[in-house]
Amino acid sequence: MGAEFAFKFFLLYLLLVMCVDGKGGARDDSQSEGMHGEPVHVHDHPSSHMDHMDHSLLVFFTLNDLKVGRTMPVYFPKKDPSKSPRLLPREDADSIPFSYEKFPYLLQFFSFPNGSPQAIAMEDTLRECEIKPIKGEVKFCATSLESMLDFVQGILGSESRFKVVSTTYLTESSILLQNYTILGVPKEVPAPKMVACHTMPYPYAVFYCHSQETKNKVFMVSLIGENGDRVEALAVCHLDTSQWSRNHVSFKVLGIEPGSSDVCHFFPEDNLVYVPMPTMSNNLINVM
């Protein structure tokens, strides 16, 4: 797997996050999920008032919604790859401190004024990366491709073969939020273990990667938007939410309590899920 997998993934990643010159790092409120801790970048509106809710939070649903013909509003962020932060080699990433304690130094290093949108985004990311994981969770913020693959191998097994799955936009569109309808039976991706990696706002590419001991389900879902947009969407369903914070944004969106229901969510195009490769051939979609 080693070098071959890393090369294939790197090619995939380049399609998602193209390298750019400069020090990027604009704040991105679409990263507001705060998936397993306190909410991040969240507008605290009651979930009953959908018109006043932060639209980027409209990615959550339950297993009961995962049915052919089901229509729901979904927010899929669209990012310009030419403006995305670049992925650093491990050597370069390791030469830059990545800790909240070093935040004042990092502001000087990247030449960001204190209180600027870039500074606030950096601070939020550093804080989120240092929050203690919930019970049964292992988390890690990867600042390079090599460190991300090391973490994945540590969870899935150093000798295991694995693949990466992600959302694919099949049509080009500038519409971020619209009603989507499920076209066919969602295809479950067997995932006895999984590692989810979410992009975080930072001057260079940072992935918040985590894995839980509790049971999860992974699906590829074919969606069609009301304007004809087509998406092959990656969805993850967390079956046990009893350890999640009561302030988790999904509970506000869905109007439920911790542990009362499963919680599913769609992934944007530049977020990734690693799953073990099946030992026998089957009908799985292999995105690699």
Side-chain angles (χ1 to χ4, degrees):
M1 173 195 69
E4 180 183 358
F5 176 85
F7 179 71
K8 290 172 68 179
F9 174 77
F10 187 69
L11 291 179
L12 171 67
Y13 185 82
L14 286 178
L15 295 175
L16 303 178
V17 184
M18 300 296 290
C19 293
V20 295
D21 294 329
K23 295 177 180 176
R27 183 172 183 168
D28 181 358
D29 283 341
S30 71
Q31 302 301 326
S32 60
E33 311 176 10
M35 287 306 301
H36 298 290
E38 296 299 320
V40 181
H41 310 159
V42 175
H43 304 295
D44 189 14
H45 299 315
S47 59
S48 59
H49 301 293
M50 299 294 285
D51 291 340
H52 303 290
M53 181 180 293
D54 182 346
H55 288 169
S56 69
L57 302 181
L58 295 177
V59 295
F60 296 102
F61 58 98
T62 69
L63 270 172
N64 288 334
D65 296 316
L66 211 54
K67 300 175 181 177
V68 177
R70 176 71 172 180
T71 298
M72 64 184 91
V74 183
Y75 179 91
F76 282 114
K78 307 294 195 302
K79 296 183 180 179
D80 182 351
S82 68
K83 297 180 180 179
S84 296
R86 64 192 181 103
L87 186 69
L88 298 182
R90 188 203 296 266
E91 182 178 352
D92 291 346
D94 288 350
S95 70
I96 305 172
F98 188 80
S99 71
Y100 182 71
E101 182 182 5
K102 297 294 184 179
F103 180 61
Y105 166 80
L106 290 168
L107 287 181
Q108 294 183 356
F109 181 85
F110 290 110
S111 301
F112 291 150
N114 194 16
S116 66
Q118 294 92 340
I120 294 171
M122 282 180 59
E123 183 176 16
D124 287 345
T125 291
L126 291 169
R127 284 183 180 275
E128 181 75 7
C129 287
E130 295 183 6
I131 289 176
K132 183 179 178 181
I134 64 174
K135 183 179 179 181
E137 180 189 37
V138 181
K139 56 179 282 191
F140 172 70
C141 280
T143 57
S144 68
L145 173 63
E146 296 93 333
S147 64
M148 179 161 50
L149 293 178
D150 285 347
F151 178 75
V152 171
Q153 286 185 311
I155 299 297
L156 302 184
S158 59
E159 301 299 322
S160 66
R161 298 179 66 248
F162 51 85
K163 65 177 182 178
V164 58
V165 289
S166 62
T167 288
T168 302
Y169 303 148
L170 301 180
T171 54
E172 294 185 9
S173 173
S174 60
I175 299 177
L176 305 183
L177 174 67
Q178 62 180 302
N179 288 320
Y180 283 91
T181 300
I182 298 177
L183 282 178
V185 177
K187 299 179 181 180
E188 183 172 356
V189 180
K193 290 184 179 181
M194 58 162 278
V195 178
C197 293
H198 311 277
T199 54
M200 302 291 283
Y202 210 69
Y204 53 88
V206 171
F207 283 84
Y208 178 102
C209 298
H210 61 112
S211 180
Q212 287 183 289
E213 293 178 358
T214 55
K215 189 175 181 180
N216 305 292
K217 287 183 177 291
V218 181
F219 296 93
M220 296 302 300
V221 186
S222 295
L223 300 174
I224 185 168
E226 57 189 334
N227 77 329
D229 284 346
R230 292 287 305 276
V231 180
E232 287 294 321
L234 168 64
V236 171
C237 293
H238 305 279
L239 305 189
D240 181 5
T241 61
S242 59
Q243 298 298 318
W244 293 16
S245 166
R246 185 170 296 276
N247 293 322
H248 192 282
V249 293
S250 65
F251 300 142
K252 296 183 179 183
V253 174
L254 299 174
I256 59 177
E257 296 291 327
S260 66
S261 170
D262 56 79
V263 169
C264 306
H265 61 97
F266 290 115
F267 277 55
E269 188 178 31
D270 60 355
N271 285 210
L272 310 169
V273 168
Y274 292 88
V275 295
M277 290 286 287
T279 55
M280 299 178 63
S281 61
N282 52 31
N283 294 324
L284 263 183
I285 295 177
N286 187 342
V287 298
M288 295 300 291

